[in-house]
Amino acid sequence: MTTVPETTRLMLELEGTVEENLNRHLSVAKEWMPHEYVPWSEGKNFAELGGEPWDPEQSRVSPIARTSLEVNLLTEDNLPSYHREIERAFGRDGAWGTWVHRWTAEEGRHGICIRDYLLVTRAVDPVELERARMQTMQAGYDSGDKALLNVFAYVSFQELATRISHRNTGRYTQDPLCEKLLSRVAMDENLHMVFYRNLVQASLELTPDAMMRAITDEVVQFQMPGAVIPSFVRKAALIAKAGIYDLRIHHDEVIWPLLRQWKIFELEGLGEVGEKARDELDQFLKTLDTQASRFEERRAAAEARSAARR
């Protein structure tokens, strides 16, 4: 008798869940046009066509807002790598394949409209942005061939983190047009998160121990896909210092909402593997909460010192 591989068995058992959530997604996703969010009348030629080269004085957003906008866009730019990874995990067949291509098509709008907005409004240095895009895409994104359940967990947290990063960046710019654009992008990210979140929920019912192990591993090892961006660590530190995305936000607004949704700490019937993973998760969350509090204290102290010097 031929034994069906575990991943194949899971995909067969989850096919109905994927189809159901694909249909739900298509019923609630609203069509929107990227070009409608770009103030084209503000555009003008750059130096090569006889116009002006970029100058920081032309930007109406702060340097830290520029950094966050660049990181958000460069993260979206690596979509070809993300598509490769998600297609490797989900395949091209049936509802799985339909979702992969629909997700990719929707994600593609994000880089288009954010780049158009940034170039038309001269919000960021276009030369630096293009050089960083080339470096980022040449580095690509490699998930390390995550197992299927790990993919479900990772993309659930990652989509929610991306949604919050876009939303908070838009607010931080204090530019109503930018905030409107990034809020619209964030709505897509939220719908994508819900799709993956529901796959995790279904997997917890099918194979609770393995799904719990995957959730713990992805929380503990979590890293944003933009980590391949040039000078990412420095830029992420600036973004955290500004309160756009920091450890507290990651702990309170990304990890915990999903854990509560899945009722992770109320879940019954786990075996030894699942209980061990849940204990590890609990300990990690306590450590992360402590680290987040320390970061907040250091940031507040630095802000107080800065204010005293003024």
Side-chain angles (χ1 to χ4, degrees):
M1 181 182 295
T2 302
T3 302
V4 178
E6 179 65 13
T7 298
T8 302
R9 182 187 67 78
L10 270 173
M11 292 187 72
L12 288 171
E13 291 186 346
L14 289 168
E15 178 84 27
T17 301
V18 172
E19 185 170 5
E20 177 185 339
N21 279 277
L22 171 64
N23 291 335
R24 178 202 53 77
H25 177 85
L26 294 175
S27 71
V28 298
K30 291 181 169 53
E31 181 182 59
W32 63 279
M33 299 298 160
H35 69 275
E36 296 287 358
Y37 289 79
V38 180
W40 298 102
S41 61
E42 296 183 22
K44 56 185 177 181
N45 291 343
F46 287 97
E48 185 69 20
L49 296 179
E52 296 179 57
W54 185 80
D55 184 276
E57 294 299 318
Q58 297 167 353
S59 177
R60 61 192 182 207
V61 300
S62 70
I64 290 180
R66 290 201 292 271
T67 296
S68 193
L69 286 165
E70 288 166 359
V71 168
N72 284 11
L73 174 55
L74 292 171
T75 299
E76 298 286 354
D77 277 334
N78 241 348
L79 181 59
S81 282
Y82 309 148
H83 174 85
R84 181 193 65 234
E85 294 293 315
I86 203 92
E87 185 187 60
R88 176 196 61 78
F90 289 6
R92 300 181 181 182
D93 300 327
W96 293 94
T98 302
W99 167 256
V100 168
H101 292 95
R102 173 71 188 204
W103 173 84
T104 302
E106 291 184 357
E107 286 285 342
R109 293 185 294 217
H110 303 166
I112 291 170
C113 60
I114 296 173
R115 172 169 282 99
D116 285 345
Y117 167 83
L118 295 180
L119 295 182
V120 165
T121 63
R122 296 189 174 230
V124 303
D125 182 345
V127 174
E128 179 182 319
L129 183 65
E130 175 59 12
R131 288 172 177 163
R133 185 190 70 83
M134 290 292 291
Q135 287 182 260
T136 300
M137 293 190 71
Q138 287 178 86
Y141 173 77
D142 184 354
S143 71
D145 291 339
K146 289 183 188 293
L148 186 66
L149 296 180
N150 289 74
V151 172
F152 294 165
Y154 176 75
V155 291
S156 296
F157 293 115
Q158 179 267 317
E159 292 282 6
L160 183 51
T162 303
R163 165 200 156 191
I164 290 170
S165 178
H166 281 312
R167 183 197 66 191
N168 289 353
T169 297
R171 290 174 181 170
Y172 191 85
T173 65
Q174 297 185 317
D175 176 1
L177 292 179
C178 187
E179 183 171 359
K180 180 180 180 181
L181 165 62
L182 291 183
S183 292
R184 188 61 194 79
V185 169
M187 289 172 67
D188 274 3
E189 306 289 10
N190 193 61
L191 289 179
H192 298 162
M193 179 275 293
V194 170
F195 180 92
Y196 296 123
R197 182 191 72 189
N198 291 349
L199 287 185
V200 170
Q201 187 67 64
S203 299
L204 280 168
E205 296 168 8
L206 282 174
T207 178
D209 277 32
M211 190 66 250
M212 182 65 74
R213 181 72 262 172
I215 290 169
T216 296
D217 289 344
E218 295 310 316
V219 169
V220 171
Q221 301 167 13
F222 185 82
Q223 188 176 54
M224 289 293 276
V228 298
I229 292 169
S231 303
F232 178 77
V233 173
R234 178 183 63 81
K235 291 174 180 177
L238 291 172
I239 290 167
K241 184 179 178 181
I244 297 171
Y245 195 96
D246 57 24
L247 284 178
R248 176 55 62 201
I249 291 170
H250 185 65
H251 177 276
D252 291 1
E253 300 182 36
V254 175
I255 297 176
W256 267 108
L258 286 169
L259 297 184
R260 281 193 291 268
Q261 176 71 31
W262 296 323
K263 296 182 170 57
I264 289 301
F265 291 103
E266 292 79 46
L267 193 63
E268 298 180 351
L270 289 174
E272 183 179 350
V273 170
E275 289 290 2
K276 183 174 184 294
R278 182 159 60 182
D279 288 344
E280 289 176 24
L281 178 61
D282 182 53
Q283 289 303 311
F284 177 81
L285 291 171
K286 290 173 181 174
T287 300
L288 184 63
D289 183 51
T290 299
Q291 292 173 339
S293 295
R294 287 174 181 167
F295 177 80
E296 289 177 308
E297 290 167 4
R298 291 196 300 269
R299 181 171 59 194
E303 290 172 352
R305 289 194 299 272
S306 178
R309 288 194 296 266
R310 292 188 196 128

